[in-house]
Structures are given as C-alpha cells and as structure tokens.
Amino acid sequence: VDQNQNLFAQAEAALKVMGYAFLIVTDDQIDRAGLSSRALLLTRYGRLNVSAEDALQCRQLIEEFGGDAQVSDLLEQGLSEATIWNLVARHQLKVPVGLPMTETSSVCINNHVEEDCHDYFCSWLGAPTR
C-alpha cells in the first residue's frame, strides 16, 4: 500500500470527479475475524428470492420490536434466516460493524436510502465513511 500512494491518489481524484468514493482495503482487513467468509455467505443469501410478503413481515416485526431486533427473536416469530440475511444483503436491513451473522446479532431497518455499497463496506469493515 505504501509504495502505491501516488497511484491511489490519482485513482481517488479520478473517481471523485465522477462522483465515486475510493477506499483501500487490505487482505488483513478483509480476513480479520472471519469477515471474508461472512461476506461470501451474505452474497449467497443475497441471491435468494425472498417474497415481498416475507420481506414486509420481517420489517413489520422489527418495527414491533422498536426498530431493532435480535435475529433469534425474529426466528422465534417464524421468519427464516434466509429472509433476514437476504434483506441485509440487499441493504434493506443493517447490522453492526463487523458484519456479525449470528442468532444473537441485532438487525435494524435501513432508513438511509442514500447509502450505497461503499457505505456498507465501510460499515462492515469498521472504516470511516465519506
């Protein structure tokens, strides 16, 4: 990374002109605490087809829990893990920094529609956003 700072600065400047953000992420950051394997799992969940009814039910249940719920609480209400993680993968739900994917993880409704994939990657990696 250090030896390529000039290249990164040029890339950042070119992308900024086009309205894009630039982020350097190293293998150490990606592999930290199993983040890469959770990201791959989330990618798989994101490819699943979840019905609009299931998605709506999930959002309604989270609202009933006050806008933030543990995955285990949602599972007890009859939702599937596939539905919950699909909505996280599609940015309709948010998880805390580090992309925890356990039954004790909390999820909340994403009300920040202006965020994009860059913002989510920053959140999952614990990196500062723009």
Side-chain angles (χ1 to χ4, degrees), residues 40-50 86 89-90:
L40 286 172
L41 182 59
L42 192 62
T43 300
R44 287 184 183 170
Y45 278 119
R47 292 181 179 143
L48 297 176
N49 289 319
V50 171
N86 175 271
R90 293 186 308 132

Side-chain angles (χ1 to χ4, degrees), residues 47-99:
R47 292 181 179 143
L48 297 176
N49 289 319
V50 171
S51 72
E53 295 83 19
D54 287 346
L56 179 61
Q57 179 187 15
C58 183
R59 291 178 63 92
Q60 288 173 336
L61 282 171
I62 293 172
E63 287 174 359
E64 289 174 18
F65 279 103
D68 193 313
Q70 280 195 336
V71 171
S72 59
D73 293 332
L74 298 173
L75 295 175
E76 287 175 11
Q77 297 297 316
L79 286 175
S80 70
E81 280 190 73
T83 297
I84 297 164
W85 298 123
N86 175 271
L87 295 177
V88 170
R90 293 186 308 132
H91 307 239
Q92 293 185 21
L93 299 180
K94 290 179 118 179
V95 293
V97 170
L99 190 60

Side-chain angles (χ1 to χ4, degrees), residues 23-36:
L23 175 69
I24 298 170
V25 179
T26 66
D27 288 342
D28 288 340
Q29 289 171 285
I30 293 170
D31 294 335
R32 179 180 61 221
L35 181 60
S36 59

